[in-house]
Amino acid sequence: MNAKRTDFLATVIINLIVAAVVGILVFLLAYILISGLPHVSWTFLTGTTDAFSGAGGIGVQLFNSFYLLVLTMLISIPISLGAGIYLAEYAKDNWRTSLIRSAIEVLSSLPSVVVGLFGFLLFVVKFKIGFSVISGAIALTFFNLPLLTRNIEESLSAVSRSQREAGLSLGLSKWKTEIGIILPVALPGIVTGIVLSAGRVFGEAAALIYTAGQSAPVTNFADWNPMDAASPLNPFRPAETLAVHIWKVNTEGLATNAAQLSAAASAVLIIAVLLFNLGARLLGNFLYRRVTASK
Amino acid sequence: MLKQYSFDETAVQTFDDSTSLAMKTENLQVFYGANHAMHDANLAFPKNQITALIGASGSGKSTYLRSLNRMNDGIATVTGKIWYHQVDINEPTVNIYEIRRHIGMVFQRPNPFAKSIRENIVYALRANGLKDKAELEERVEKSLRGAALWDEVKDSLDKSALSLSGGQQQRLCIARSIAMEPDVLLLDEPCSALDPISTVKVEETLLELQKKYTIIIVTHNMQQAARVSSQCAFFHLGHVMEYTSTGNMFSNPQIPVTQDYIAGSFG
Amino acid sequence: MEQTNFQLKQQKTQSNDWSARLHHATRATREDWLGKGISYLCIGVIILVVASMLWFITSKGIATFTQNHVSLGKFLTGTDWAPDQGKIGALPMIVGSFAVTFAAAIVATPFAVGTAIFMTEISPNKGRKLLQPVIELLVGIPSVVYGFIGLAVVVPFMRSVVGGSGFGIISATFVLFVMVLPTITSMTVDSLRAVPRHFKEASLALGATRWQTVSRVILRSATPGILTAVIFGMARAFGEALAVQMVIGNAAIMPKNLISPASTLTSQLTTGIGDTIDGTLPNNALWSLALILLLMSLFFNALVRVIAKRGQLKHER
Ligand SMILES: Nc1ncnc2c1ncn2[C@@H]1O[C@H](COP(=O)(O)OP(=O)(O)O)[C@@H](O)[C@H]1O
Ligand SMILES: [Mg+2]
């Protein structure tokens, strides 16, 4: 066979592969949206779940997902910001730094089920906090920290050295330079990373089934005092999220319409994740234009 | 081909009256790891004059200049003494942030903050505790006037500094430095990224500024050194070879290496 | 008169004690201490998390051997898993995990490399506009959704095509294939892009066809990068829990074929850990499975490093 024909054949095969990959995504999205969206209604989005069968609405789960997301971000953003600044600004190029980097690498490559089990061991077994919002949020933090830290470090390091020198030469402290001068320039990248990681956190289930738990006790949405047991804000109540709900319904769901329920819940989850991805892009671009003043 | 010159044959002027000096270095040496980039630099800088540091690229001008306000901390090892108001500011116990407020610096590439023009100037002032609005406004105007930028930007102080032209950005950087009311202003090839018209503007600004500040400027451009400076130091391969008045330097250089450099045989 | 703590202002009027002034700690010095403290603390938290994770899971995981005195050899080679009867042979899960991981990587790699070649060599424009978002979306889909589709589509499909229950290694492979595809693709794209342009131009200038250039020059010089990409994909497949658990059938028996229910380390952990009591053999045995997962994750990590080092050496030569 001559080289020209091989070349042609290879091109055809590659095109077929690409068509298959695009086809898979189109099928996935179409399947979920077509089979799920018809069952999504206002009552579904706000209703409560039957504790035994798992049938019914996903109102509480949806709230739990967002609540966990917010708590996770509240804990993980400051820590990864500090850690990212450490790596970008204070870390020297020595064995200790490479050890720290390896540790972060290890944490980011651990399967989320292992992170979840560690959270379970720590909060549920050792500290006896039980399945709770706070256990889940901390487990998600563990899972989120390495990615955010790396993203923040990369965004900070990408800012030109000359900006740092400008700040330092005016007698600003390193810290002030980093927070006041470098951080605003790095913000578009950091925000994009945060919103993307929010999408990941929102869809995560394996780290949650043994930390935030698999039950969504009916909460009283009129009571916003976090100290009250029935309050949705109570950080010590178990909190099944939307992603965990999908898993639960599918694996032990006794509901007769389990397939419909999970299709609808998956559609909601997918749309939320798509919105996060889209939001990350738009917000990143918007901030970038503001920072660089290119209108 | 580069000729070999003896580093023993130097002609460095000294000053008897130390009260007229703003700064002075004694046996200043700089090492980048194993690279010995600056050898025994002994230079003194008279107050309210412009001193130019000239020499071929890589001769250590920036290295020397950056040592003067401790910008080489964490990058290079600097030994020797740097006298400033009878204090050796090369000591590790010295507060480097305080030093840098008294000895300001402007870099080769304009590096305004990605903030508004006003914010570029007031940011560091505010960080240092100056809160009074009126006073801040006053400093903005004064420093922008000092850097000959006021007329061009007075109506657009809230515009992003990045929207300015290169020459305007560099003058903003000068304004930002003088807003701190330093004693000494260090400039590292401030015009190398600028067009000729902006260069003239910056030079005029410097001539005006020397009334209030001591200025040390690195330049690659001998005409520029001749136009603005009163003293001139010639650097060669990490050594200070000759230091004298600018007039002498260009009309009557003392040693062969300077003569060849001024005549344009290398550099 | 109003007091101002702005020291620049004072310098003109105050005494001439420059030594004191230049040695004094100022706001900036304090800020720097604070900033250093904060950032060291934050990195310390992360290190503490990693260290305690390694420590706790290791100490829990070895309890099976130190407290329950199960022999390590029996644990790794035994094929009977019934912890409540004292039988803890983990081989079925180990084999299951490796089987789905390798199978998924083998299926996904040609697709990933083909897509990456398309994105970098054939149509960079379509690659950026169409395929980049496709890859990002595939990464973004949560694993429970993959599991759900596996359950709703792949399992019934397998049931009708090959018979049986439809649960098993082949269904898990299918699901994992789609899940690792974007990981391998995007990393392969990076490594193809890193091939110096002049390699490619030299080859084309010698009259080689595009495919000859791609296969002989570009793929060859990107091999370490592609290998790394595949290992990352395998690490993801090995550690994936819920999507696999939903379609593999969760039978802790040695897999005899690809179409009967089997189980993996992760699926066994997900289904089992909530039903056992802390400190008992069945519970400890599960933690030992978690320890294997952890060690494998460290192994994949180390492998990536070794390849990266090798690749560097090759480039230096
Ligand atoms: N950050 C640095 N790290 C290592 N070496 C440097 C660094 N900056 C400058 N050097 C070295 O110091 C010598 C002098 O450089 P420099 O001071 O920049 O010269 P000039 O400003 O006269 O062009 C050169 O050999 C250069 O390679
Ligand atoms: Mg220079």
Side-chain angles (χ1 to χ4, degrees), chain B residues 242-263:
Chain B
E242 184 156 354
Y243 183 36
T244 178
S245 75
T246 304
N248 275 341
M249 177 73 84
F250 289 103
S251 59
N252 186 20
Q254 296 297 303
I255 55 174
V257 58
T258 323
Q259 289 158 2
D260 291 354
Y261 183 73
I262 301 289

Side-chain angles (χ1 to χ4, degrees), chain B residues 85-216:
Chain B
H85 287 285
Q86 278 82 51
V87 182
D88 175 12
I89 58 169
N90 197 30
E91 275 178 8
T93 53
V94 159
N95 180 345
I96 53 172
Y97 304 114
E98 206 52 25
I99 298 292
R100 291 173 188 158
R101 278 169 43 178
H102 294 290
I103 307 175
M105 187 161 212
V106 175
F107 298 85
Q108 189 164 357
R109 302 213 137 268
N111 55 357
F113 302 139
K115 299 177 187 295
S116 72
I117 295 171
R118 175 185 286 115
E119 201 56 25
N120 258 275
I121 290 172
V122 300
Y123 188 81
L125 294 172
R126 246 198 268 112
N128 277 315
L130 184 63
K131 292 276 168 9
D132 184 54
K133 280 242 170 66
E135 163 116 38
L136 285 172
E137 281 306 301
E138 196 187 308
R139 294 260 188 135
V140 169
E141 176 167 353
K142 216 165 104 191
S143 57
L144 284 172
R145 279 192 193 284
L149 189 60
W150 175 250
D151 292 331
E152 291 160 61
V153 302
K154 63 173 182 248
D155 299 323
S156 52
L157 291 177
D158 290 314
K159 261 178 69 180
S160 166
L162 302 179
S163 63
L164 297 175
S165 74
Q168 290 174 322
Q169 289 189 2
Q170 193 63 303
R171 276 178 286 144
L172 178 62
C173 292
I174 295 176
R176 183 174 66 183
S177 283
I178 62 182
M180 303 297 293
E181 302 193 336
D183 261 0
V184 182
L185 201 54
L186 311 174
L187 300 110
D188 192 352
E189 303 198 34
C191 301
S192 66
L194 305 187
D195 59 90
I197 297 175
S198 306
T199 301
V200 171
K201 284 215 163 139
V202 171
E203 285 178 8
E204 284 169 355
T205 311
L206 295 181
L207 287 169
E208 195 57 35
L209 287 174
Q210 70 173 320
K211 291 175 192 155
K212 288 181 70 183
Y213 309 101
T214 304
I215 294 175
I216 305 172

Side-chain angles (χ1 to χ4, degrees), chain B residues 30-33 35-38 54-66 72 75-76 108 188-189 218 220 235 237-238:
Chain B
V30 185
F31 303 83
Y32 293 107
N35 177 7
H36 194 167
M38 181 53 54
I54 62 171
S57 133
S59 58
K61 307 179 297 293
S62 302
T63 298
Y64 178 78
L65 193 77
R66 292 168 55 87
N72 272 339
I75 299 170
Q108 189 164 357
D188 192 352
E189 303 198 34
V218 169
H220 198 71
F235 284 63
L237 298 177

